[in-house]
């Protein structure tokens, strides 16, 4: 068994015009107002699936059936698109790790009614009901670790809620059949001439003069907020503290997997426990890529094991999880990611996954060991404000914090390093009531670790999945294993394949 095969269970082989990276999707939003900001920028709310105001009916049910939904509670983040004429509302997973847009999961073959309710809530698209649709003859089969989708390309218009802007004749896929797929995907990685042979969503925004540049900013929002934002062609200076640090995107030819992703160079990682005695980890200068579609942060095994040990984990459990005590999520302290010009501090609460079940909460570290990819998933990105700038081949990064809304448009010649956030830097200092660590602890353990009901001892719950596609091999490599937990069985297959341009 490999941890990658579990947490990245949506890796795919695409049959047709190309292979691509697609992540799992899970959540069930409802319409929310979305204001338009400026002439050359579009802002979307990004919904966490734990948001009970949006997904309340999903969380009111009790019992085993709800567990599957709870296990995907911090996996997917959704934005709304209105597709066709008249508009058909669709919620799609926002994914910086893939490159294409597709919609229309088949909800009928999902196992639980909670999954079916979620799938139905994200909406659907029927090209026959749109006066502006043009269905092509180009098809593709996407095979996932937990399912598959047959896609047919169509061109149609895409509008944005409460905005006068719209895109015309955008190419995307609609699924004619799927298995175990819960929603569509909005891939916002590099598109035309890089990873796909046509203009993708980000390309079209600039080409149709909706944005002045191929750049967007992303703030997933904290667990407590349960809502974030993505802004195409603009940024929000009230969502970060300090100045934006500009990090060059590592060219595909020099990246670890040879694929054009949002790879950047990281200086080092460290841990700042409640005591304030910072520990810097060795051998942590490496390239990492930022992937909003991946649940966990994937790190080399030695590093992941070292961090997990400092959280009291005895190693991975039978399913590849680092089980930790839920009390840690209520303690001050941060896992720190240092880049040239900025360090992103991730509070313990954001780094620890808390899985609510009918049997009590189970907690796991939001880091997974992996020797193939080093990626920073949602457990890290929740604490970062990032501008993904394809035009200038850079990521502009700052510490996330929320002090309101202050939007500005961005252009190809925008000087990002001169832009300062409106917020005060968040404080990660221990509270005055923090207990003194016992002498029997490891030096970096936050406080005395309870060993009772909150520490999971059996197999962990099924996790949400992310995905990556390796461009290093032309043949597929598969790792398959079965998992049964609380009567829920998951079969996961990881597939790596060469991404070929259409």
């Amino acid at each position: 068994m490999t941890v990658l095969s579990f947490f990245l269970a949506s890796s795919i082989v695409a049959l047709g015009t190309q292979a691509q990276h697609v992540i799992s999707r899970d959540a069930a939003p409802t319409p929310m107002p979305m204001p338009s900001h400026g002439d050359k920028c579009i802002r979307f709310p990004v919904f966490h699936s734990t948001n009970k105001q949006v997904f309340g009916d999903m969380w009111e049910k009790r019992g085993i059936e709800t567990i599957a939904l709870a296990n995907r509670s911090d996996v997917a983040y959704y934005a709304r698109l209105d597709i066709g004429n008249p508009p058909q509302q669709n919620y799609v997973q926002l994914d910086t790790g893939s490159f294409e847009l597709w919609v229309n999961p088949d909800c009928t073959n999902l196992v639980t009614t909670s999954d079916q309710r979620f799938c139905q809530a994200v909406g659907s698209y029927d090209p026959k009901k749109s006066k502006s649709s043009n269905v092509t003859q180009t098809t593709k089969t996407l095979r996932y670790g937990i399912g598959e989708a047959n896609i047919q390309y169509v061109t149609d218009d895409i509008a944005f809620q409460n905005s006068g802007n719209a895109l015309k004749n955008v190419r995307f896929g609609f699924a004619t059949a799927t298995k175990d797929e819960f929603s569509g995907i909005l891939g916002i990685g590099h598109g035309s001439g890089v990873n796909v042979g046509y203009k993708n969503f980000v390309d079209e925004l600039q080409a149709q003069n909706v944005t002045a540049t191929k750049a967007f900013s992303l703030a997933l929002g904290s667990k407590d907020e349960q809502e974030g934002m993505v802004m195409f062609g603009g940024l929000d200076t009230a969502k970060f503290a300090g100045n934006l640090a500009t990090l060059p995107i590592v060219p595909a030819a020099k990246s670890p997997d040879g694929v054009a992703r949002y790879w950047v160079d990281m200086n080092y990682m460290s841990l700042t426990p409640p005591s304030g005695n910072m520990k810097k980890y060795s051998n942590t200068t490496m390239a990492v890529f930022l992937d909003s579609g991946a649940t966990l942060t994937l790190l080399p095994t030695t590093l992941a094991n070292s961090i997990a040990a400092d959280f009291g984990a005895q190693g991975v459990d039978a399913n590849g999880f680092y089980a930790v005590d839920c009390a840690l999520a209520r303690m001050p302290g941060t896992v720190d990611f240092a880049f040239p010009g900025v360090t992103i501090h991730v509070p313990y609460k954001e780094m620890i996954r808390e899985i609510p079940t009918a049997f009590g909460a189970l907690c796991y570290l939001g880091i997974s060991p992996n020797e193939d990819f080093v990626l920073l998933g949602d457990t890290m990105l929740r604490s970062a404000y990032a501008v993904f700038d394809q035009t200038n081949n850079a990521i502009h990064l700052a510490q996330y914090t929320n002090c309101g809304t202050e939007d500005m448009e961005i252009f190809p010649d925008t000087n990002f390093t001169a832009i300062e956030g409106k917020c005060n830097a968040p404080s990660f200092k221990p509270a005055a009531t923090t207990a003194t660590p016992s002498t029997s602890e490891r030096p970096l353990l936050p406080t005395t670790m309870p060993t009772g009901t909150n520490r999971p001892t059996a197999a962990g719950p099924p996790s949400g999945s992310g995905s990556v596609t390796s461009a290093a091999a032309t043949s597929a490599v598969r790792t398959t294993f079965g998992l049964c937990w609380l009567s829920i069985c998951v079969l996961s297959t990881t597939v790596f394949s060469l991404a070929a341009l259409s």
Side-chain angles (χ1 to χ4, degrees), residues 151-500:
I151 303 299
Q152 185 164 359
Y153 283 113
V154 62
T155 61
D156 208 341
D157 300 344
I158 298 179
F160 316 111
Q161 184 181 8
N162 296 336
S163 171
N165 291 311
L167 295 175
K168 301 292 184 182
N169 299 318
V170 178
R171 180 176 175 176
F172 60 95
F174 69 95
T176 56
T178 66
K179 179 181 179 180
D180 296 329
E181 299 305 328
F182 302 95
S183 77
I185 301 288
L186 177 57
I188 48 179
H190 296 80
S192 178
V194 182
N195 291 314
V196 296
Y198 65 93
K199 293 184 179 69
N200 71 359
F201 185 82
V202 176
D203 295 326
E204 290 286 7
L205 285 168
Q206 184 195 41
Q208 299 192 33
N209 207 32
V210 176
T211 63
T213 182
K214 288 194 290 186
F216 60 91
S217 58
L218 179 63
L220 293 179
S222 68
K223 285 182 180 179
D224 289 340
E225 291 171 313
Q226 299 189 337
E227 181 177 323
M229 56 77 65
V230 61
M231 194 171 182
F232 295 94
L235 59 83
D236 185 348
T237 57
K239 292 296 186 291
F240 63 94
N243 288 85
L244 290 165
T246 294
L247 312 176
I249 294 175
V250 177
K254 296 182 179 180
S255 69
D257 68 344
V259 176
R261 306 184 193 275
Y262 297 119
W263 288 101
V264 294
D265 289 322
M266 182 174 69
N267 283 351
Y268 64 87
M269 284 188 63
S270 61
L271 181 68
T272 306
S275 67
N277 297 322
M278 187 266 283
K279 174 183 178 180
K280 183 177 178 180
Y281 295 102
S282 60
N283 301 317
T284 53
T285 300
M286 62 187 74
V288 298
F289 82 87
L290 310 183
D291 188 354
S292 69
T295 309
L296 302 185
T297 292
L298 302 187
L299 299 173
T301 302
T302 299
L303 173 59
N305 286 342
S306 180
I307 297 173
D310 288 331
F311 275 85
Q314 302 301 312
V316 295
D317 65 11
N319 299 297
F321 295 88
Y322 291 116
V324 299
D325 197 280
C326 291
L328 287 165
R330 299 185 293 275
M331 298 176 184
T334 61
V335 180
D336 308 318
F337 299 78
F339 301 89
V342 65
T343 297
I344 304 301
H345 303 278
V346 181
Y348 285 178
K349 181 175 183 178
E350 302 297 335
M351 184 55 70
I352 293 174
R353 298 190 68 202
E354 297 180 82
I355 309 299
T357 75
F359 306 94
L362 301 176
C363 293
Y364 302 90
L365 189 63
I367 289 172
S368 178
N370 181 257
E371 293 301 323
D372 296 316
F373 272 81
V374 180
L375 67 81
L376 307 185
D378 298 333
T379 52
M380 180 273 181
L381 288 178
R382 279 194 288 252
S383 300
Y385 186 85
V387 181
F388 296 79
D389 185 359
Q390 294 183 21
T391 296
N392 294 297
N393 294 312
I395 303 294
H396 313 285
L397 203 61
Q399 180 73 43
Y400 171 78
T401 186
N402 189 350
C403 58
T405 300
E406 195 75 33
D407 293 342
M408 64 175 288
E409 298 175 34
I410 56 180
F411 300 92
D413 59 352
T414 294
N415 182 5
F416 288 92
T417 57
I419 299 174
E420 185 174 1
K422 304 296 184 182
C423 304
N424 295 323
S427 175
F428 304 109
K429 293 181 179 180
T433 57
T434 299
T436 301
S438 71
T439 56
S440 62
E441 297 169 352
R442 291 174 56 92
L444 292 174
L445 287 180
T447 64
T448 301
M449 295 286 293
T451 57
T453 58
N454 284 337
R455 181 180 293 280
T457 56
S463 165
S465 57
S467 69
V468 289
T469 302
S470 170
T474 56
S475 61
V477 179
R478 297 172 183 265
T479 303
T480 307
F481 71 100
L483 166 68
C484 290
W485 179 80
L486 294 180
S487 301
I488 299 175
C489 296
V490 178
L491 179 64
S492 298
T493 303
T494 302
V495 180
F496 301 94
S497 67
L498 179 67

Side-chain angles (χ1 to χ4, degrees), residues 26-30 32 45-56 58-59 69 72-79 91 118 218-229 350 378-379 381-383 400:
D26 308 291
T30 55
M32 299 283 285
V46 176
F47 299 103
H48 296 206
S49 54
T50 51
N51 189 324
K52 293 186 178 182
Q53 292 184 343
V54 179
F55 315 120
M58 297 290 183
W59 296 95
L69 184 67
R72 299 190 302 274
S73 64
D74 61 352
V75 176
Y77 299 86
Y78 282 80
Y91 284 91
F118 156 71
L218 179 63
L220 293 179
S222 68
K223 285 182 180 179
D224 289 340
E225 291 171 313
Q226 299 189 337
E227 181 177 323
M229 56 77 65
E350 302 297 335
D378 298 333
T379 52
L381 288 178
R382 279 194 288 252
S383 300
Y400 171 78

Side-chain angles (χ1 to χ4, degrees), residues 23-221:
I23 313 291
S24 74
R25 45 278 95 218
D26 308 291
T30 55
M32 299 283 285
M34 187 192 72
S36 176
H37 293 265
D39 295 331
K40 292 294 183 68
C41 54
I42 297 291
R43 181 188 180 109
F44 293 85
V46 176
F47 299 103
H48 296 206
S49 54
T50 51
N51 189 324
K52 293 186 178 182
Q53 292 184 343
V54 179
F55 315 120
D57 61 330
M58 297 290 183
W59 296 95
E60 290 172 0
K61 306 296 181 182
R62 297 292 181 183
I64 294 296
E65 185 177 78
T66 308
I67 293 174
L69 184 67
N71 291 336
R72 299 190 302 274
S73 64
D74 61 352
V75 176
Y77 299 86
Y78 282 80
R80 171 178 161 179
L81 300 177
D82 294 333
I83 306 175
N85 292 290
Q88 300 173 51
Q89 178 179 303
N90 282 258
Y91 284 91
V92 288
Q93 183 191 354
L94 196 69
D95 183 14
T96 62
S98 66
F99 321 115
E100 300 194 64
L101 168 64
W102 72 271
V103 296
N104 277 23
D106 180 0
C107 305
T108 61
N109 57 20
L110 298 175
V111 176
T112 69
T113 56
S114 61
D115 289 339
Q116 292 172 4
R117 288 197 306 269
F118 156 71
C119 181
Q120 293 163 357
V122 301
S124 62
Y125 166 75
D126 184 351
K128 295 179 181 178
K129 295 181 179 180
S130 173
K131 296 181 291 185
S132 51
S133 67
N134 180 21
V135 178
T136 74
Q137 299 304 308
T138 305
T139 61
K140 178 189 298 183
T141 298
L142 308 177
R143 291 196 175 97
Y144 300 84
I146 55 172
E148 62 183 41
N150 297 326
I151 303 299
Q152 185 164 359
Y153 283 113
V154 62
T155 61
D156 208 341
D157 300 344
I158 298 179
F160 316 111
Q161 184 181 8
N162 296 336
S163 171
N165 291 311
L167 295 175
K168 301 292 184 182
N169 299 318
V170 178
R171 180 176 175 176
F172 60 95
F174 69 95
T176 56
T178 66
K179 179 181 179 180
D180 296 329
E181 299 305 328
F182 302 95
S183 77
I185 301 288
L186 177 57
I188 48 179
H190 296 80
S192 178
V194 182
N195 291 314
V196 296
Y198 65 93
K199 293 184 179 69
N200 71 359
F201 185 82
V202 176
D203 295 326
E204 290 286 7
L205 285 168
Q206 184 195 41
Q208 299 192 33
N209 207 32
V210 176
T211 63
T213 182
K214 288 194 290 186
F216 60 91
S217 58
L218 179 63
L220 293 179

